């Protein structure tokens, strides 16, 4: 839902402005330490998995990193990469490189809220507004009656700020702007809610801005510091951080957009400023860390069994019977069975983490490109099912 509106902005931007050429950079900028705990060329299925990545890049995708764990074979996780981290400077992508993971952070936000509930600091059925200053929720319809559970499950009905034409215009006027939470919430104020809380589900980034602010009110520190204490540190996610402290790390791989569907990409690495300071996006990571995180969630290593059961109480939206909403997690029907997942995109980047309960298997991937044909090859339902088929069978 985010992508369609932002793509329109970028089309307008590209048609009216000259896009700067990719900078010349030292390839050593992208050097990274060997990854521990995951196999590369030594994995028994390395050739099979590498063929998937090489085939994806051969279609015109700039680069892809993937981590696979097949719980049926006992061979442990595999991580590999293909393509380029930097097209201008001809730098090959490595499996240890970092990239933007966008809205996958919503699962981290949800896990943090569940852990706060486990500690007795909140109840999921509390009215969310009781943890927020009145000025934060002013003129945001349903924000005064939606529960924390409603926010987590996108069942609040609260308007998604990204859908606002005024926000889109403001973004177009300054694609390099770093937006603060209250600046974004302004575009949800005065907008009609989509439905009464609890009567339907519909994706809204506004929900997760509010959840991040609740974390800060309860813990008295930035939400991403709480992520570090609750999740990044305990799980050893050494390649994961949040953009707020370092929005565009020097060593992040370049991100590209295929605006016109011709696979003639342009560098868009700097264009994700609305995600840097809010809990609805802004995650920097790589597929191996996403796998470690998702596995810890599924195996209840980081939250309790009861919390995971609440997380996976699914609701199907009135307009779609192929996707189900949990708490910071989705269940998607595929022709190979159910997949628990969350994906995320920023301008120039896409990432997805996926668990297949029927096969006890995980597939996590990230690409440094989106829009146009790139989306067809990496994030459409057909692409996801093709990845599943090639990995599992």
């Amino acid at each position: 839902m985010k992508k369609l509106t932002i793509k329109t902005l970028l089309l307008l931007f590209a048609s009216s402005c000259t896009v700067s050429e990719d900078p010349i950079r030292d390839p050593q900028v992208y050097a990274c330490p060997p990854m521990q705990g995951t196999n590369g060329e030594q994995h028994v299925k390395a050739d099979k998995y590498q063929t998937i990545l090489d085939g994806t890049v051969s279609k015109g995708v700039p680069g892809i990193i993937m981590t696979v764990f097949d719980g049926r074979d006992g061979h442990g996780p595999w991580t590999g990469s293909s393509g380029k981290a930097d097209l201008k400077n001809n730098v090959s992508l490595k499996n240890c490189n970092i990239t933007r993971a966008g809205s996958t952070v919503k699962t981290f936000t949800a896990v943090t809220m569940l852990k706060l509930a486990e500690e007795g600091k909140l109840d999921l059925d509390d009215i969310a507004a009781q943890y927020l200053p009145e000025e934060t929720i002013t003129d945001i319809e349903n924000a005064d009656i939606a529960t924390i559970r409603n926010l987590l499950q996108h069942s609040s009905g609260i308007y998604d700020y990204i859908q606002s034409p005024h926000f889109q215009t403001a973004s177009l006027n300054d694609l390099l702007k770093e937006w603060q939470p209250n600046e974004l919430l302004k575009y949800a104020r005065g907008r009609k809610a989509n439905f009464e809380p609890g009567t339907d589900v519909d994706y809204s980034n506004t929900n997760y801005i509010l959840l991040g602010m609740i974390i800060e009110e309860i813990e008295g520190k930035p939400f991403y510091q709480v992520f570090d204490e609750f999740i990044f540190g305990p799980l050893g996610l050494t390649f994961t951080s949040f953009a707020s402290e370092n929005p565009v790390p020097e060593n992040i791989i370049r991100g590209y957009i295929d605006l016109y569907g011709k696979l003639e990409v342009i560098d868009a690495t700097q264009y994700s400023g609305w995600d840097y300071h809010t809990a609805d996006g802004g995650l920097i990571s790589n597929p191996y860390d996403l796998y470690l995180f998702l596995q810890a969630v599924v195996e209840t290593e980081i939250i309790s069994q009861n919390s995971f059961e609440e997380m996976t109480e699914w609701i199907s939206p009135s307009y779609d019977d192929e996707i189900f909403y949990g708490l910071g997690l989705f269940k998607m029907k595929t022709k190979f069975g159910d997949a628990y997942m969350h994906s995320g995109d920023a301008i120039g980047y896409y990432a997805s983490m996926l668990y297949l309960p029927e096969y006890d298997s995980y597939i996590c991937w990230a690409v440094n490109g989106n829009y146009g044909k790139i989306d067809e090859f990496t994030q459409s339902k057909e692409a996801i099912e093709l990845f599943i088929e090639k990995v599992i069978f």
Side-chain angles (χ1 to χ4, degrees):
M1 295 177 67
K2 176 189 295 186
K3 185 185 301 90
L4 293 177
T5 53
I6 298 301
K7 180 180 178 181
T8 301
L9 291 177
L10 290 169
L11 281 167
L12 291 169
F13 176 76
S15 66
S16 60
C17 305
T18 300
V19 180
S20 59
E21 189 175 352
D22 303 2
I24 297 175
R25 297 167 64 82
D26 183 347
Q28 284 302 114
V29 165
Y30 304 101
C32 49
M35 301 184 70
Q36 304 298 318
T38 180
N39 295 308
E41 296 178 358
Q42 296 76 31
H43 195 283
V44 67
K45 295 182 179 178
D47 290 344
K48 172 184 176 179
Y49 296 151
Q50 188 63 47
T51 298
I52 300 171
L53 305 192
D54 294 344
T56 303
V57 169
S58 72
K59 297 174 182 177
V61 176
I64 180 169
I65 308 171
M66 180 177 284
T67 293
V68 173
F69 175 80
D70 188 334
R72 302 167 301 173
D73 62 20
H75 294 300
W78 172 89
T79 302
S81 60
S82 186
K84 300 297 179 181
D86 184 328
L87 293 172
K88 171 72 174 181
N89 299 289
N90 195 32
V91 180
S92 294
L93 188 61
K94 295 179 281 294
N95 62 13
C96 53
N97 284 142
I98 59 171
T99 184
R100 296 199 187 282
S103 286
T104 61
V105 79
K106 290 183 173 70
T107 312
F108 289 74
T109 304
V111 164
T112 300
M113 297 300 289
L114 288 165
K115 289 180 71 65
L116 290 173
E118 289 174 8
E119 293 178 359
K121 295 179 178 179
L122 58 84
D123 188 288
L124 297 184
D125 294 312
D126 289 340
I127 299 298
Q130 77 182 65
Y131 297 95
L132 294 167
E134 184 175 349
E135 60 267 23
T136 296
I137 64 168
T138 297
D139 293 331
I140 300 178
E141 189 170 353
N142 286 5
D144 59 335
I145 56 174
T147 65
I148 290 173
R149 189 186 304 274
N150 292 150
L151 298 182
L152 288 167
Q153 197 158 35
H154 296 291
S155 60
S156 71
I158 292 173
Y159 181 80
D160 185 355
Y161 72 89
I162 282 181
Q163 300 300 316
S164 165
H166 298 291
F167 169 70
Q168 295 167 29
T169 300
S171 298
L172 173 62
N173 288 334
D174 189 356
L175 282 168
L176 301 180
K177 176 179 171 63
E178 292 188 22
W179 294 80
Q180 297 299 321
N182 279 310
E183 292 180 292
L184 295 170
L185 289 178
K186 179 179 75 171
Y187 296 98
R189 301 190 195 282
R191 301 305 298 256
K192 185 174 177 57
N194 296 325
F195 46 80
E196 288 294 311
T199 63
D200 204 346
V201 285
D202 196 19
Y203 195 90
S204 175
N205 290 280
T206 310
N207 290 323
Y208 276 75
I209 291 182
L210 296 174
L211 289 166
M213 298 173 86
I214 290 172
I215 293 170
E216 294 183 339
E217 290 291 328
I218 292 174
E219 292 296 282
K221 63 186 71 172
F223 67 83
Y224 50 85
Q225 290 184 12
V226 183
F227 289 172
D228 190 55
E229 294 170 10
F230 280 18
I231 304 172
F232 302 168
L235 294 182
L237 305 185
T238 57
F239 297 93
T240 300
S241 63
F242 196 79
S244 189
E245 294 184 302
N246 188 7
V248 189
E250 185 179 31
N251 61 332
I252 196 168
I253 60 177
R254 309 304 292 181
Y256 301 93
I257 48 178
D258 175 29
L259 286 179
Y260 303 107
K262 299 179 180 180
L263 296 174
E264 298 171 356
V265 298
I266 63 172
D267 190 315
T269 305
Q270 305 290 331
Y271 297 163
S272 293
W274 75 89
D275 274 341
Y276 295 160
H277 304 289
T278 54
D280 64 324
L283 190 71
I284 294 172
S285 190
N286 70 13
Y288 181 59
D289 272 10
L290 293 179
Y291 153 71
L292 290 176
F293 168 67
L294 186 59
Q295 184 185 54
V297 172
V298 171
E299 297 187 0
T300 64
E301 294 174 3
I302 196 158
I303 54 173
S304 69
Q305 181 64 38
N306 182 67
S307 289
F308 183 67
E309 289 173 1
E310 291 205 78
M311 195 177 199
T312 52
E313 290 180 358
W314 309 109
I315 298 177
S316 179
S318 59
Y319 52 84
D320 189 345
D321 60 1
E322 296 292 315
I323 193 78
F324 299 81
Y325 286 59
L327 307 185
L329 202 61
F330 295 94
K331 181 176 73 171
M332 181 177 71
K333 289 183 178 179
T334 80
K335 60 185 179 182
F336 305 107
D338 291 339
Y340 298 178
M341 66 176 298
H342 209 301
S343 60
D345 65 274
I347 300 174
Y349 302 89
Y350 173 81
S352 188
M353 51 185 185
L354 180 150
Y355 172 65
L356 301 163
E358 184 175 340
Y359 306 98
D360 189 28
S361 297
Y362 298 81
I363 309 172
C364 299
W365 67 96
V367 294
N368 57 337
N370 57 2
Y371 308 142
K373 290 186 179 299
I374 294 175
D375 288 0
E376 297 175 24
F377 306 143
T378 60
Q379 58 178 283
S380 65
K381 185 174 182 181
E382 292 75 18
I384 292 170
E385 289 185 331
L386 183 61
F387 285 151
I388 294 171
E389 181 178 14
K390 290 187 174 182
V391 166
I392 298 300
F393 300 105

